[in-house]
């Protein structure tokens, strides 16, 4: 079975641009969560979606948005990119809405220049 | 909100040595997980351990929920154990999918 897949794996953007990151969960998993990990820190929660509805949002500005599609895949969008948005963006899927049994993808490494 | 502290921040071992990593948390939790992040960034779930002790091969974990700490034991370490180890707990009052991670323990195992 395929694990959690994220695309692209690496991305370089310029300040002020917009970016869309994509995540496909494990088959049968209905929840997707997004995390941002800056260098030297633990992952920080951005969003959780379950059954296509937002179930939680972390302390991130409105420039960050996400959605989940009928096939449970998800997109994370970031507008008006700042240098500080440079990070590894991780997607995790779980079967239910609970925070256990996480399977993480390999992440998208975003560099803003 | 809940605080998660891990120690030590860095650990260097010779292959074959044993180690203990610690995770302290500031509030009661009903869920604690340990993850290993390999040098390529992949986060692997090691244990879901809200209380008690679990073992998986050379790794074992113990959570004492009443005293708000968890320990991860690595025995007979191998170079492939290198990476960063994180513990994570649910954010108080947040959705269960909202995990709070510690800053991690960076483990380097030398051959």
């Amino acid at each position: 079975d395929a694990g959690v897949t994220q695309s692209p794996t690496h991305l370089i953007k310029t300040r002020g641009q917009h970016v869309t990151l994509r995540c496909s969960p494990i088959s049968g998993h209905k929840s997707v969560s997004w995390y941002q990990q800056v260098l030297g820190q633990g992952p920080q929660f951005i969003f959780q979606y379950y059954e296509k509805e937002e179930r939680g949002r972390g302390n991130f500005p409105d420039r960050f948005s996400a959605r989940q599609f009928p096939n449970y895949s998800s997109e994370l969008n970031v507008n008006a990119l700042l240098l500080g948005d440079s990070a590894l963006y991780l997607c995790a899927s779980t079967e239910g809405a609970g925070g256990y049994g996480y399977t993480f993808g390999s992440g998208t490494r975003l560099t803003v220049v | 909100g809940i605080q998660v502290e891990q120690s030590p921040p860095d650990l260097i071992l010779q292959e074959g040595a044993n180690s203990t990593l610690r995770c302290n948390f500031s509030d009661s939790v009903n869920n604690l997980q340990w993850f290993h992040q390999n040098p390529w960034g992949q986060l692997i779930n090691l244990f879901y351990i809200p209380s008690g002790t679990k073992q998986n091969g050379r790794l074992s974990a113990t959570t004492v929920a009443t005293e708000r700490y968890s320990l991860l034991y690595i025995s007979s370490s191998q170079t492939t154990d290198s990476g960063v180890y994180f513990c994570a707990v649910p954010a108080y009052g947040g959705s269960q999918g909202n995990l709070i991670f510690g800053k991690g323990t960076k483990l380097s195992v030398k051959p």
Side-chain angles (χ1 to χ4, degrees):
Chain A
D1 282 343
V4 177
T5 57
Q6 292 188 243
S7 62
T9 55
H10 295 82
L11 200 55
I12 299 175
K13 289 285 192 179
T14 304
R15 275 179 300 174
Q17 285 188 315
H18 163 270
V19 69
T20 297
L21 310 181
R22 295 178 174 84
C23 173
S24 293
I26 288 175
S27 178
H29 284 194
K30 299 179 179 178
S31 174
V32 169
S33 297
W34 287 95
Y35 286 78
Q36 180 196 66
Q37 186 178 21
V38 299
L39 199 61
Q41 300 292 318
Q44 186 175 0
F45 174 75
I46 310 176
F47 285 109
Q48 183 194 18
Y49 276 77
Y50 175 69
E51 288 281 16
K52 301 176 284 293
E53 293 189 356
E54 183 181 303
R55 291 293 296 264
R57 182 185 182 117
N59 187 24
F60 280 80
D62 291 343
R63 300 185 296 108
F64 288 76
S65 64
R67 54 179 175 169
Q68 187 176 31
F69 298 99
N71 66 354
Y72 301 109
S73 66
S74 178
E75 283 183 353
L76 175 69
N77 295 283
V78 186
N79 292 324
L81 285 166
L82 304 174
L83 296 179
D85 295 330
S86 295
L88 180 66
Y89 288 84
L90 295 163
C91 170
S93 76
T94 55
E95 187 173 345
Y100 52 88
Y102 265 44
T103 300
F104 278 87
S106 298
T108 294
R109 191 165 298 279
L110 172 66
T111 303
V112 182
V113 298
Chain B
I2 192 167
Q3 304 294 316
V4 180
E5 294 184 357
Q6 293 186 242
S7 60
D10 295 279
L11 189 57
I12 300 174
L13 300 174
Q14 284 298 129
E15 202 167 22
N18 302 328
S19 61
T20 301
L21 283 58
R22 186 177 181 102
C23 172
N24 293 331
F25 42 95
S26 61
D27 207 342
S28 300
V29 297
N30 59 8
N31 174 349
L32 184 140
Q33 298 175 69
W34 283 96
F35 295 87
H36 174 226
Q37 188 167 41
N38 65 25
W40 297 271
Q42 179 82 48
L43 266 172
I44 305 296
N45 193 318
L46 298 174
F47 292 103
Y48 166 71
I49 183 165
S51 64
T53 297
K54 289 186 177 180
Q55 182 153 8
N56 184 3
R58 296 180 296 103
L59 274 59
S60 64
T62 296
T63 296
V64 185
T66 53
E67 296 187 21
R68 300 181 184 171
Y69 73 89
S70 183
L71 302 174
L72 178 69
Y73 305 96
I74 304 175
S75 64
S76 304
S77 58
Q78 301 176 357
T79 56
T80 52
D81 295 331
S82 297
V84 183
Y85 290 81
F86 292 100
C87 66
V89 299
Y92 177 74
S95 73
Q96 287 296 299
N98 180 357
L99 293 181
I100 302 297
F101 283 77
K103 291 187 176 181
T105 292
K106 184 176 181 180
L107 175 64
S108 299
V109 181
K110 306 298 185 184

